[in-house]
Amino acid sequence: MASCLRQQTTICDVLKKKQQLLQLDSLAWQDVDAPLSVGDHEAMTFTYDEACDFIIKHFSAFPKLTAFTKHALENRWVEAEDRNDKRPGGYCTSLPEFDESRIFMTFTGSASDTSTLAHELGHAFHSDVLTDVPYLNQHYAMNVAETASTFAETIIANATVQSARSDEEKLSLLNNKLEGATAMFMNIHARFIFEDNFYKARKNGVVSHEQLSKLMTVAQKEAFHGALNTYHPHFWSSKLHFFIDDVPFYNFPYTFGYLFSLGIYAEYLKQPKNFEEKYIALLKDTGAMTVEDLAMKHLGVDVTNVDFWAEGVKLMAKDVDQFIALADQLENN
Ligand SMILES: [Zn+2]
């Protein structure tokens, strides 16, 4: 597509490279999130206690986040046992009566589960900083709901990549990070296109399941830039979000939140000194301001200008470049 945006082009490159590394003729829908193991290396693993220590250590540039995390972990706010019949993933809920949160997740010992634990702790931290603002200002909109979680996850995902003991391990960890970017720019984008087209079609009457599957495939092909050889026509039936009928477009806030959080992270990298105070002040206002006002008041940046978003995308593009370079190097060895 001539109008292919840079981030989509580069993620297409990642998918192409992944296909080569997996030694496949073409990439199918289910291969997008396939683990990548090149060469002879043992995947980075953590016991639950090691993951907690790793997170506390790497949050250290943010003393309040660190103190909060220690408190949450020491007081056993997290139920992370990996047991039969418990599904993967993570979830955080706040308990407003007690000014506390609880995290429910399955920790299998992988680096990506360590990032998930950090993500959920980020949600809990967001709730915690809001406890001392008036109750009616504590409820933030979906577009900023993933700000603190993605920020915390980014700190830890970067730390795992930096802790890699070999190039093979680094490639696998970068793959984990880029799976997140692929989900945000392609999978979530497909959901948005699908939903947009669904509402247009619904104006003309009931949309049959055959039409829904067709709309889904068309949306996925567009969002993935035709990079796959098979798609998932029934995705509309398996994704819970489409059935939450009082919240239309339960998709774009993920990509928006991811980009907003990456933009904030880029600001942090520019001026790390005393950044946490600004960051917490921003989180405290998430239930009371538009994103435009939040970013201007607390970071002095204009989110209506493309530069703010481009700074965040550049961080992701760096991962892409590193992934491609490492993959080329390992292929040539
Ligand atoms: Zn989240």
Side-chain angles (χ1 to χ4, degrees), residues 119 123 146 149:
H119 179 104
H123 277 304
E146 296 298 330
S149 54

Side-chain angles (χ1 to χ4, degrees), residues 29 46 61 106 151 153 171 182 195 202 211 220 223-224 234 244 255 282 287-288 293 320 332:
W29 174 269
F46 298 82
T106 303
F151 193 88
E153 183 181 345
L171 188 78
T182 309
E195 196 161 345
R202 183 67 183 85
Q211 277 175 289
Q220 289 169 348
F224 280 82
H234 289 104
I244 304 176
T255 308
L282 180 148
D293 290 345
V320 170
N332 293 329

Side-chain angles (χ1 to χ4, degrees), residues 17-38:
K17 190 49 78 184
K18 192 161 178 175
Q19 175 200 323
Q20 286 171 14
L21 292 168
L22 291 171
Q23 298 179 345
L24 296 168
D25 294 333
S26 53
L27 210 64
W29 174 269
Q30 68 272 17
D31 299 323
V32 172
D33 290 332
L36 200 58
S37 184
V38 175

Side-chain angles (χ1 to χ4, degrees), residues 250-297:
Y250 199 145
N251 35 63
F252 87 90
Y254 282 97
T255 308
F256 185 92
Y258 172 77
L259 285 169
F260 185 53
S261 187
L262 278 188
I264 296 173
Y265 198 82
E267 290 300 314
Y268 158 63
L269 293 178
K270 275 190 229 162
Q271 283 186 322
K273 204 160 178 266
N274 300 329
F275 187 83
E276 189 178 32
E277 294 309 316
K278 281 193 247 178
Y279 174 60
I280 290 175
L282 180 148
L283 292 179
K284 274 184 195 291
D285 272 339
T286 44
M289 281 185 183
T290 62
V291 172
E292 288 88 338
D293 290 345
L294 269 181
M296 186 51 82
K297 179 179 172 189

Side-chain angles (χ1 to χ4, degrees), residues 176-209:
N176 287 349
K177 273 194 86 185
L178 289 168
E179 278 174 9
T182 309
M184 293 299 160
F185 290 120
M186 294 172 138
N187 187 316
I188 305 275
H189 187 201
R191 298 181 205 183
F192 176 82
I193 298 167
F194 166 81
E195 196 161 345
D196 198 29
N197 288 336
F198 164 74
Y199 290 124
K200 284 175 194 150
R202 183 67 183 85
K203 281 184 185 165
N204 301 321
V206 171
V207 184
S208 67
H209 69 87

